[in-house]
Amino acid sequence: MFGASLGSLNLKDLKLKTSQEAPAYRGWEDLYRQKWTWDKVAWGTHCVDCYPGNCPYRVYVKDGLVWLEEVAGTFPTIEPGVPDMNPMGCQKGAAWSQLLYAPERVLHPLKRAGERGEGKWKRVSWDEALGDIADAMLDAIQELGPESIIAEGTPAQGGMMAGLFFNRIIGLLGGVETDVNAVINDFSPGIYLTFGKFNPASSNDDWFHSELILFNMVNPVYTMMPLYHFWAEARYNGAEVVLIAPDCSPSHVHADYYFPVQPGTDAAMALAMCKVIIDEKIYNAPFMKDQTDLPLLVRLDNRHFLRGRDVKAGGLEDQFYFFDSKTQQVVEAPRGTLALGEVDPALEGSYSATLKDGKVVEVVPVFELVKERLADYTPEKAFQICGVHPDSIRLMARKMAVKKTAILCGGTSFKYYHADLMVRAYLLAGALTGNWGKKGTGPIEWSTGMFDGPYLYFVKQEPGPEETKRILKQVDEVRKVVKAQDPTLTDEMVAIEMNIAMAHTIGMVPPHFFWYHCCGYRENWNKREWNDPSMVRPFDDYWKEAADKQWWKGVDRPGPNTPTRVYIECGGNTLRRSRGGGTQLLKNLWPTCNMIVTIDWRMQTTGMWSDIFLPVAHHYEKVTFHIPTPHVLTLTFSDKAAEPPGDVKPEAEIVFLLAQKVEERAKARGLEEYIDNQGNARRLDGLYNALTLGGRLTEPEDVADEWVRDSVLTGALPEGTTLETLKEKGYVRFVDWGISALALNQAAPLKPDETHAAFRWHVEDKLPYPTATRRAQFYIDHDWFLEAGEELPVHKDHPKVGGDYPFQMTSGHNRWSIHSMNITNRIMQDTHRGRPHLVMNTDDAKARGIEDNEEVYVFNDGGSFITPVKLSPSVRPGQVIAYNGWEPLQFREWRGPMDTEIGMIKWLHMAGGYGHLRYSPIQWQPAPSDRAIHVDVKKLD
Ligand code: SF4
């Protein structure tokens, strides 16, 4: 498409060696042999959100073009007796170079030449494009303040060297960057509510140690191809795999058991498992007593925890109590350790506690309340809700009680409206059976951290190790001051406190304020029928209460009177990704914006609706790093194997140029200083220097080298690691966690010859958890949770999000793309039908007279789309599956499933003012749900 109008990327256009003499050959075999030669080999990987990714590839270059890549397979064995991670790769990665030369690749800055979305563009210079953007930013600052400039937080498409630079310049301007974890809907509130962090995740190879593996919230055969072999190998090692899913998902062929749960009813099944474990007394009492809040005392008069402030004048808000079975007294639960010493906390019974005013109240351990709640969850009753046979529930419960169990928390664990309840119920089963903090166990969600260099870079004043050491010394001093105020804080807790303090100074904010004020979601969120019935007041009442109590103070940006004027997305493809998609954003956000910028390597739906399109270099055409994860534990490097084509530039260079352009235009306007929406004075004449450390690091390679060297100084990377060593080897394994809270959340030793199992500091060393109770917490006595009956895990029916329609539409990553990337890759398309489809149960389709591959009309109260269906008996009646990742522009009228997905958030996730229920970057915040949306499906007229 764009190749045709702007000059496609091929040998002829690039004026490569077209005049070379043709080699002598004897037949087609020689041509074939000639094909398998190359000029150069470089390291590469695919720095996109293909979590966990980090697959090292060898990238082969011929005549200046990347024409082939292959998995490197060079990871060593870490733990003797445990398989290594090789080969690490997937079919998308193996065909990635197709995207470099695909027709949708954009080679020059583009400016809209017609109406938005009309598809008319003109090629412009970087100077003109960046000048227009700079002017729009300055206009926005002068009209409404910098909070009218919004950058979408995304993992971007260029790894660590991409989105961070845009975020930084937006932050320097006083603009707003939406928190990536809510934007991508990957925040798991259930794990966070329980542990005070959502992201502890064992390394992939640790799964080999599992004895029971629950594929309960994930379809790993589609979504975790490079790692799948560990589950297969674990089965050779004696492990059993259980698939729990509404559809007979593609992972079922590798499972030992399949439990066909009704959509959104996992909590009922898991709570019934808990009941079996308790009734049969096969629970792990020592683990429950020292790791969880199950022995903490709750007052029956108000259903709140018994706290220090109840018991004595000046008592602490976060002092909790046990009943000691040995001394028969109510005693303080230690705050600085999980070790119980001589105390034996009661899990059962009813006791008396004397309050500071002399009043005597009845108190019970949380475990008693859990038992009370579970009375409603016999396997037989749960069967009525979830559809899993009572015998299967009992079987699973008994297995979990004796086996090292891993719980895979993929998309289902955060994309259902009540996903938090489902996860809390599974984690309760984990708590009763001691299933985290040892090898082969625990919940597994996404995670990152460890690569400290980028974050240090943005607080450094100048390059070099001395400046880094100065900052690390400052960090250490702050840490000491915080610890001096409360010596019971762990290093992890201190790092979290520092992270929260930083949240107010960087531009990142939870995006629900942006969605509510600027994108029209307020109307949807206030629809009572789309919310849970236990939301007893209108949504806006909770919104107002959260505001009045200042639970989100400092990050409640943009404010209600600041419509968006400039919107920038870098690799996020907002209109595809956002729940509500075009229905919501084109109607509400787009009209207020004077400038919409898409930064990407390929034209996609959001780009088509933008004013300016800035083309970026692919990985393979710039230096960058994959987002590191504890799953793989390496910093994986992607080198500049080939020159970027056309006018394409890497993101870092674009931001440096933009900073210069903003400074230049601001100077011309006489606008060098202004007051931002928070009342802070900001200057515009230091942007470039702040981004390039005084103009001394202007080349992306130099910045990358600085990041690597600084990560050595924090102790995360081994001594001697530099960009040069990465160019030789392609990756390096982390040797320690470094300084970030995200990394310390792993709470486990990182050893060179062992798999990583999260939570070990808690379980082995008895370090407290960063929750309100400092224990894994199942009882949340926040008033909103008590009002909703969600103080403990419970099953709630999925609300009728989208309206009262007969089908529930589920989703998941598809097999053929990383989000919408690769979806137009010709090789990938040839492996399937090559266009979007909705998977539908064969009998449901027959009842409606719908044939396979026939186009149907899918609709609800939020929107509609037209798509072909793919019939499959593996989908349960009443369910339809719209796999994630199709580009809206692949559908008629550019409307796809995202237009019906509504984007509901759960009101309880706006709760604050309570222990760990407070915002820090990529942690506690509301995120939209998109599973089990109610729709109807009709034949087209
Ligand atoms: Fe690995 Fe992701 Fe590349 Fe696939 S796309 S090979 S998972 S890095």
Side-chain angles (χ1 to χ4, degrees):
M1 167 174 55
F2 295 90
S5 59
L6 302 173
S8 62
L9 185 65
N10 56 43
L11 290 172
K12 182 165 167 284
D13 286 351
L14 289 175
K15 297 187 171 44
L16 293 174
K17 302 175 192 172
T18 52
S19 62
Q20 275 183 337
E21 274 184 29
Y25 66 95
R26 290 162 294 158
W28 65 267
E29 298 96 331
D30 277 357
L31 278 180
Y32 185 77
R33 287 187 195 105
Q34 179 70 15
K35 183 179 172 189
W36 301 102
T37 61
W38 51 84
D39 307 328
K40 172 180 155 186
V41 186
W43 286 101
T45 187
H46 315 110
C47 303
V48 294
D49 191 23
C50 65
Y51 194 84
N54 281 283
C55 309
Y57 267 64
R58 301 300 276 159
V59 177
Y60 296 85
V61 181
K62 188 174 182 178
D63 292 340
L65 300 180
V66 176
W67 69 280
L68 173 73
E69 59 271 271
E70 62 182 9
V71 292
T74 48
F75 279 147
T77 298
I78 298 299
E79 183 173 305
V82 175
D84 59 47
M85 294 207 188
N86 297 310
M88 292 289 289
C90 74
Q91 88 280 36
K92 282 86 69 179
W96 204 283
S97 55
Q98 300 289 315
L99 301 182
L100 273 66
Y101 312 120
E104 68 266 33
R105 185 83 197 267
V106 180
L107 304 180
H108 307 275
L110 299 178
K111 185 172 170 178
R112 176 166 61 85
E115 295 300 310
R116 283 179 179 159
E118 199 182 355
K120 291 184 179 165
W121 299 92
K122 69 171 178 175
R123 185 193 295 186
V124 294
S125 66
W126 279 97
D127 194 58
E128 182 178 342
L130 295 175
D132 284 1
I133 297 168
D135 281 338
M137 285 175 153
L138 296 173
D139 289 346
I141 289 169
Q142 288 188 302
E143 184 200 348
L144 294 167
E147 282 182 14
S148 60
I149 304 171
I150 307 283
E152 182 188 48
T154 77
Q157 297 183 354
M160 300 300 288
M161 292 290 288
L164 287 178
F165 289 97
F166 285 97
N167 303 346
R168 179 61 177 154
I169 191 170
I170 298 298
L172 287 168
L173 291 171
V176 168
E177 182 212 343
T178 51
D179 188 308
V180 61
N181 211 11
V183 168
I184 64 175
N185 315 57
D186 280 4
F187 173 66
S188 174
I191 298 181
Y192 186 88
L193 283 162
T194 309
F195 297 117
K197 48 188 174 183
F198 82 96
N199 54 322
S202 300
S203 57
N204 303 331
D205 45 4
D206 189 66
W207 306 338
F208 182 71
H209 292 297
S210 301
E211 294 168 340
L212 183 66
I213 299 166
L214 308 189
F215 288 171
N216 50 343
M217 307 203 175
V218 70
N219 175 19
V221 165
Y222 269 26
T223 60
M224 303 173 90
M225 291 180 191
L227 317 173
Y228 184 79
H229 66 93
F230 282 110
W231 294 301
E233 287 153 353
R235 291 178 76 197
Y236 280 116
N237 205 28
E240 291 181 296
V241 170
V242 183
L243 173 71
I244 304 161
D247 53 314
C248 193
S249 95
S251 294
H252 89 278
V253 288
H254 304 280
D256 298 285
Y257 301 91
Y258 166 45
F259 294 171
V261 70
Q262 292 279 357
T265 63
D266 290 55
M269 191 195 77
L271 291 172
M273 286 166 56
C274 292
K275 180 159 177 59
V276 171
I277 292 164
I278 292 172
D279 288 351
E280 298 187 3
K281 295 197 183 309
I282 49 178
Y283 54 81
N284 184 337
F287 188 90
M288 292 153 58
K289 287 180 182 182
D290 77 10
Q291 294 297 310
T292 77
D293 66 344
L294 296 175
L296 294 182
L297 297 175
V298 175
R299 294 169 52 168
L300 288 187
D301 61 331
N302 63 8
R303 309 289 278 194
H304 282 279
F305 280 115
L306 181 68
R307 293 171 183 258
R309 61 165 151 72
D310 299 334
V311 172
K312 58 186 176 192
L316 293 173
E317 168 83 10
D318 63 348
Q319 177 60 63
F320 299 88
Y321 293 88
F322 301 135
F323 184 81
D324 181 12
S325 305
K326 285 187 186 160
T327 61
Q328 293 290 298
Q329 287 184 344
V330 173
V331 298
E332 291 184 349
R335 294 172 65 250
T337 177
L338 296 171
L340 296 171
E342 297 300 310
V343 175
D344 180 19
L347 286 169
E348 296 177 272
S350 167
Y351 309 98
S352 297
T354 306
L355 306 185
K356 63 187 174 199
D357 61 2
K359 185 179 165 191
V360 175
V361 293
E362 187 180 359
V363 290
V364 295
V366 169
F367 187 58
E368 282 289 354
L369 300 176
V370 168
K371 287 196 298 179
E372 183 183 295
R373 172 140 301 180
L374 294 181
D376 287 337
Y377 294 96
T378 63
E380 283 70 21
K381 282 188 187 169
F383 170 58
Q384 301 303 321
I385 301 168
C386 70
V388 177
H389 195 278
D391 289 349
S392 299
I393 293 174
R394 288 194 172 88
L395 179 76
M396 266 277 284
R398 290 166 190 154
K399 283 183 183 294
M400 201 165 165
V402 295
K403 288 178 181 264
K404 289 185 289 178
T405 305
I407 303 173
L408 267 74
C409 297
T412 302
S413 72
F414 35 78
K415 295 187 196 278
Y416 270 92
Y417 185 94
H418 287 311
D420 54 344
L421 292 173
M422 292 153 65
V423 171
R424 289 171 71 196
Y426 279 121
L427 292 178
L428 181 59
L432 297 175
T433 55
N435 260 311
W436 67 73
K438 59 190 177 198
K439 290 185 180 183
T441 67
I444 298 161
E445 225 258 38
W446 84 273
S447 188
T448 186
M450 304 169 287
F451 191 26
D452 295 316
Y455 305 100
L456 283 166
Y457 183 86
F458 292 129
V459 290
K460 288 176 81 167
Q461 308 287 318
E462 58 184 66
E466 294 312 313
E467 171 71 350
T468 308
K469 287 176 190 164
R470 181 187 70 79
I471 291 167
L472 292 178
K473 194 160 165 247
Q474 272 184 355
V475 169
D476 206 41
E477 280 161 9
V478 173
R479 192 183 287 143
K480 283 182 191 147
V481 169
V482 177
K483 274 204 171 187
Q485 288 167 358
D486 183 353
T488 65
L489 295 177
T490 63
D491 287 349
E492 179 190 14
M493 291 175 184
V494 173
I496 291 171
E497 292 303 324
M498 291 165 71
N499 211 21
I500 288 172
M502 286 290 288
H504 297 267
T505 61
I506 59 177
M508 187 185 277
V509 299
H512 59 292
F513 298 99
F514 167 60
W515 291 327
Y516 183 91
H517 295 308
C518 305
C519 302
Y521 285 88
R522 177 182 180 180
E523 198 182 324
N524 287 355
W525 296 346
N526 270 288
K527 283 212 166 102
R528 295 294 280 268
E529 64 274 24
W530 290 356
N531 280 289
D532 188 82
S534 62
M535 190 184 88
V536 293
R537 295 180 272 151
F539 180 91
D540 269 352
D541 271 20
Y542 295 95
W543 183 273
K544 185 170 180 311
E545 184 182 338
D548 290 346
K549 292 181 173 170
Q550 302 191 342
W551 287 342
W552 300 87
K553 188 172 179 342
V555 293
D556 49 351
R557 307 166 55 206
N561 301 315
T562 312
T564 307
R565 291 289 184 254
V566 177
Y567 184 78
I568 302 177
E569 70 101 350
C570 175
N573 200 359
T574 306
L575 291 176
R576 186 209 64 79
R577 183 195 300 265
S578 302
R579 279 59 186 168
T583 304
Q584 211 58 35
L585 300 181
L586 291 177
K587 184 170 129 201
N588 299 298
L589 174 66
W590 252 241
T592 73
C593 292
N594 297 327
M595 172 64 71
I596 294 169
V597 183
T598 287
I599 301 152
D600 209 311
W601 63 55
R602 65 187 172 123
M603 186 53 81
Q604 28 82 333
T605 304
T606 315
M608 291 294 281
W609 283 99
S610 293
D611 301 312
I612 300 270
F613 189 104
L614 303 180
V616 294
H618 239 283
H619 37 242
Y620 300 174
E621 295 168 351
K622 62 189 170 196
V623 292
T624 188
F625 308 92
H626 204 291
I627 296 169
T629 91
H631 282 316
V632 183
L633 283 169
T634 57
L635 179 64
T636 312
F637 177 61
S638 194
D639 206 350
K640 183 177 177 179
E643 286 298 320
D647 282 343
V648 167
K649 295 182 187 300
E651 291 88 342
E653 193 182 329
I654 296 170
V655 175
F656 296 163
L657 290 172
L658 178 61
Q660 286 176 315
K661 188 55 74 180
V662 172
E663 288 189 32
E664 177 195 311
R665 295 292 170 102
K667 195 171 175 192
R669 291 183 183 210
L671 177 69
E672 281 166 351
E673 188 170 315
Y674 59 96
I675 305 297
D676 70 16
N677 301 69
Q678 306 294 304
N680 306 307
R682 290 186 182 268
R683 293 196 62 82
L684 288 166
D685 53 4
L687 292 180
Y688 179 73
N689 277 350
L691 289 160
T692 57
L693 302 191
R696 291 167 62 186
L697 293 181
T698 57
E699 293 298 322
E701 286 220 7
D702 295 338
V703 175
D705 189 47
E706 185 86 353
W707 289 2
V708 172
R709 290 173 190 271
D710 284 350
S711 299
V712 173
L713 292 175
T714 67
L717 291 178
E719 288 286 340
T721 310
T722 64
L723 198 64
E724 276 311 304
T725 64
L726 282 165
K727 278 176 183 273
E728 285 161 23
K729 199 178 167 197
Y731 68 89
V732 59
R733 191 174 197 265
F734 287 97
V735 291
D736 211 339
W737 298 117
I739 60 171
S740 75
L742 288 174
L744 293 174
N745 287 156
Q746 297 309 314
L750 182 53
K751 298 190 175 171
D753 55 356
E754 275 194 41
T755 65
H756 157 58
F759 296 109
R760 286 174 64 186
W761 289 342
H762 303 305
V763 172
E764 293 173 7
D765 303 336
K766 309 299 179 193
L767 295 186
Y769 296 80
T771 59
T773 58
R774 302 197 177 194
R775 302 168 147 262
Q777 191 166 338
F778 294 95
Y779 193 80
I780 306 289
D781 64 337
H782 188 288
D783 285 338
W784 286 11
F785 282 71
L786 287 163
E787 177 190 78
E790 296 193 21
E791 71 279 12
L792 284 170
V794 63
H795 163 75
K796 289 187 171 181
D797 287 339
H798 184 69
K800 290 205 180 305
V801 178
D804 192 4
Y805 295 104
F807 288 95
Q808 288 184 288
M809 184 172 72
T810 61
S811 183
H813 282 192
N814 69 38
R815 194 194 282 265
W816 313 283
S817 73
I818 305 295
H819 305 291
S820 56
M821 283 166 276
N822 326 80
I823 203 80
T824 51
N825 183 325
R826 185 57 59 85
I827 290 181
M828 290 299 107
Q829 287 188 330
D830 284 350
T831 65
H832 60 95
R833 291 182 178 176
R835 59 176 181 159
H837 56 253
L838 184 80
V839 191
M840 187 175 192
N841 176 272
T842 313
D843 291 340
D844 280 343
K846 197 172 167 192
R848 284 165 172 73
I850 295 169
E851 304 280 338
D852 186 48
N853 215 27
E854 177 180 339
E855 280 195 313
V856 294
Y857 180 63
V858 186
F859 65 99
N860 63 12
D861 293 343
S864 63
F865 62 100
I866 293 169
T867 180
V869 291
K870 184 173 184 176
L871 301 189
S872 171
S874 67
V875 179
R876 69 167 50 239
Q879 180 190 17
V880 287
I881 305 176
Y883 282 110
N884 166 291
W886 306 107
E887 273 288 352
L889 51 74
Q890 291 182 295
F891 294 84
R892 286 211 219 175
E893 298 171 4
W894 296 7
R895 303 179 80 80
M898 66 293 300
D899 287 290
T900 59
E901 283 174 352
I902 310 294
M904 293 299 288
I905 63 169
K906 186 169 173 176
W907 82 107
L908 290 181
H909 301 165
M910 297 191 300
Y914 176 97
H916 54 300
L917 303 194
R918 55 189 178 148
Y919 176 72
S920 70
I922 79 166
Q923 302 276 358
W924 181 246
Q925 59 189 312
S929 56
D930 64 14
R931 293 289 199 273
I933 301 299
H934 287 257
V935 297
D936 205 347
V937 180
K938 276 198 331 194
K939 271 177 90 71
L940 282 183
D941 291 336

